[in-house]
Amino acid sequence: MDSNQLFKYVYAKYGLKFEPIIPGSAETYVLMSPVDSGYFAMLSRIKINGKIRAVLDLKCGDFAGTIRDLPGFTDPVRIKDAAWVGAVLGNNDSSVKKALDYAFKLAMNGKQVNVAQDQYFYIPPDDVEEKYKAQPIKPRKNLQEQADPDIPDKIRQMLKLYDYSLLPQKGRAKNFYVQARFMADYEDNYAEYFAFKRFYPTYHDMNIGQLRSYFTWRSKLRKGDYQKTSTSYAFVYLYELLNNVGVNPQEGYDKLLDFKHNYVEKYDLAMEPYLNDWLKDYVLYYQLGQDEIDNCFAQEIKEDHDYLILRHPEDYSTEKLAAVFANRSSYWNTSKVIKQNQAKITELLKCVWQELLDAKKFGIAYYSAFVAKPQVKQQDVFLDSVFYNREKKIPTQMVDAARKYVFMNGTWQIHFDEPVKKQKTNLNTFLHELDRIAREKLKLGRPIKPRFIDQAVLKAIDAGIAVYQEQQEKAKIDQIKIDFSDLDKIRANASVTRDSLLTDEEKELEQEEQKQVEQKKEIEKPTEVKTDNEYGLDKNEMFLLISLLKNQPWQDYVKKNHLMVSILADSINEKLFDEIGDNVIEFDEDNQPQIIEDYKEDLEDMFLKG
């Protein structure tokens, strides 16, 4: 239920209309009793968690204390009286309507609650003017002074500092700041404890018992005695530090961190997101320095570093660029070709990526469209807190090279790179196409199916591969070459001369010795086994498969390495099943392994021609 729905509900059920408390104002409306024109409901609009919400204050008499503890209800926002209760519209509308009915019945029956449950519909007499007339507000006793007649002088003086002439929007924060500075060194030792629950709490929202409870808790906390208390008290303490009450900026920062570790992380984790955001604002607003910025913005700086590398790859190594893709995409870590050609693909990636970032050349702003887009966001300083901005001039604060905060009239203009939706998918698609075209042009593996991608990206990939190939050719030319042709000619001439000096018997003896040496080398020569493949076959499995494809003997190798041919064949069949869809090795009548004829040609393409 929003404000308009509430207006309609009230008029339909009671025949009453909300009237602005000040003619022409749209901030606060009141609902007046037809009996004595006293207020029994007040509707206000306040900011809660950065959003404007409608809050309804209701006069529920002695029953207000009970209603206040129900879900969706809180202390009143505008009326400081124990007979009033507050409710945020949109939270438990049925309970709000019941409380509104109760308040209306009290107003209509002279504060008596023994009334019928029938619907009330008030019809004003003919001589009642519809137009609102300003009426004086009846004076009432100060609720804060009613709570405890034994008020410490310091608190009594603090209460008198509240300036009611200030407009609520800014005056609330200024009044809190003035009162907080006055109470900066105050200590209390109050024996009782009063709980406190309020949105954007300040001293002005507390009665005497709550004030003394808060200052007693704060006194213990300052001495290192951290005790669990009402969340609203904890927020008041944070507001004091955000406003630098009783501390200098560095002391305030240290106390905020101390409170985070010793209170928030132990007793009230729901406060942590607020405190983390305020710490970021704190180090910038009070200009503490880069060390504090690095500490509070660690996650943002890490994100920004990736974007700096992606935007300016020419300033970073190929390895760092590849590391960003490995972190922000899944394809880089799963492609077999990329794994097997890591160094080559890493250098190729940088060539292609630099080409792709040339928007004028290919007519596509790939980075801003598919990776991250530069954004400017406006945000209040110390958002969702009670903070009094003293019109301080703050120079532009640089978090890092990609993120800066510009201060303007109590707000930040935040410049940063915001990741686009489906960033990971976009990078995966790009890498897939890079992989596909690299396989084709650099002969790196079996072809894969293309994915849909902008034609401009394909042109950039082709251009990047061409640049990479040119670099490789240049590197070959730059290498120092040694011509051994003359040495070979000298060796040949020396051999002819030597042979002419040997007798026939010496020649025969030398030939026999050479033959024996070659036979020995052949026996001792290790069997070369190809292991490079995309299917997970190990050295022994590759040897058996290649031997069967080439009709070469395999028995001595298996015996020498103490292997079982049946186990090797089963493992090969299992690893190639996803690719072939069937077993590729079977055993004949003599229990000898052989390649199934139907798959021989495919296997030769896969393992003999690659």
Side-chain angles (χ1 to χ4, degrees), residues 176-407:
F176 172 73
Y177 177 72
V178 171
Q179 290 181 313
R181 290 192 63 183
F182 183 76
M183 301 296 287
D185 299 325
Y186 178 71
E187 293 187 357
D188 207 334
N189 187 22
Y190 193 52
E192 298 186 61
Y193 177 80
F194 290 84
F196 178 48
K197 182 173 66 173
R198 180 64 183 264
F199 293 115
Y200 306 103
T202 65
Y203 303 148
H204 189 65
D205 301 318
M206 305 181 201
N207 59 37
I208 297 302
Q210 292 168 334
L211 284 168
R212 299 201 64 183
S213 297
Y214 168 72
F215 287 117
T216 298
W217 171 80
R218 190 184 73 173
S219 299
K220 294 178 180 178
L221 181 145
R222 288 179 171 180
K223 297 175 182 177
D225 184 7
Y226 288 87
Q227 296 182 5
K228 182 74 173 70
T229 190
S230 296
T231 299
S232 295
Y233 287 144
F235 274 118
V236 170
Y237 176 72
L238 291 179
Y239 296 164
E240 291 175 353
L241 295 177
L242 298 184
N243 284 278
N244 259 200
V245 171
V247 293
N248 62 42
Q250 187 61 52
E251 290 172 345
Y253 176 73
D254 293 339
K255 288 182 180 295
L256 287 170
L257 288 180
D258 187 64
F259 188 75
K260 176 182 177 181
H261 298 318
N262 293 296
Y263 185 87
V264 174
E265 293 176 356
K266 292 181 179 179
Y267 301 123
D268 204 336
L269 284 174
M271 298 178 67
E272 189 170 27
Y274 297 97
L275 182 51
N276 287 340
D277 288 341
W278 293 336
L279 280 166
K280 295 171 187 176
D281 280 6
Y282 193 95
V283 298
L284 298 178
Y285 185 84
Y286 293 109
Q287 306 168 55
L288 292 189
Q290 195 59 45
D291 289 343
E292 288 78 8
I293 290 176
D294 292 345
N295 183 44
C296 294
F297 286 89
Q299 184 60 37
E300 287 83 357
I301 291 173
K302 181 180 178 182
E303 293 278 330
D304 292 344
H305 185 64
D306 283 357
Y307 293 137
L308 286 172
I309 295 175
L310 290 174
R311 270 201 294 173
H312 305 287
E314 67 279 2
D315 296 334
Y316 299 89
S317 66
T318 56
E319 291 76 17
K320 287 186 177 181
L321 179 63
V324 174
F325 276 89
N327 180 48
R328 294 190 168 273
S329 69
S330 56
Y331 192 90
W332 183 270
N333 298 311
T334 56
S335 170
K336 293 180 179 178
V337 167
I338 292 177
K339 285 183 178 179
Q340 294 165 1
N341 303 275
Q342 191 83 32
K344 183 179 293 186
I345 298 298
T346 295
E347 294 208 11
L348 176 62
L349 172 66
K350 186 170 183 178
C351 294
V352 172
W353 190 249
Q354 285 181 279
E355 288 291 319
L356 185 55
L357 293 184
D358 191 343
K360 293 182 179 179
K361 185 175 181 180
F362 298 100
I364 182 172
Y366 188 84
Y367 178 82
S368 60
F370 297 97
V371 182
K373 190 172 184 178
Q375 294 283 9
V376 179
K377 180 177 70 173
Q378 186 163 310
Q379 178 178 296
D380 289 342
V381 175
F382 298 115
L383 180 65
D384 294 332
S385 73
V386 178
F387 176 74
Y388 177 51
N389 177 42
R390 278 86 74 187
E391 298 182 356
K392 185 177 181 180
K393 290 185 178 180
I394 303 175
T396 297
Q397 298 290 294
M398 299 297 299
V399 174
D400 53 38
R403 186 179 299 263
K404 67 178 180 179
Y405 281 62
V406 180
F407 183 75

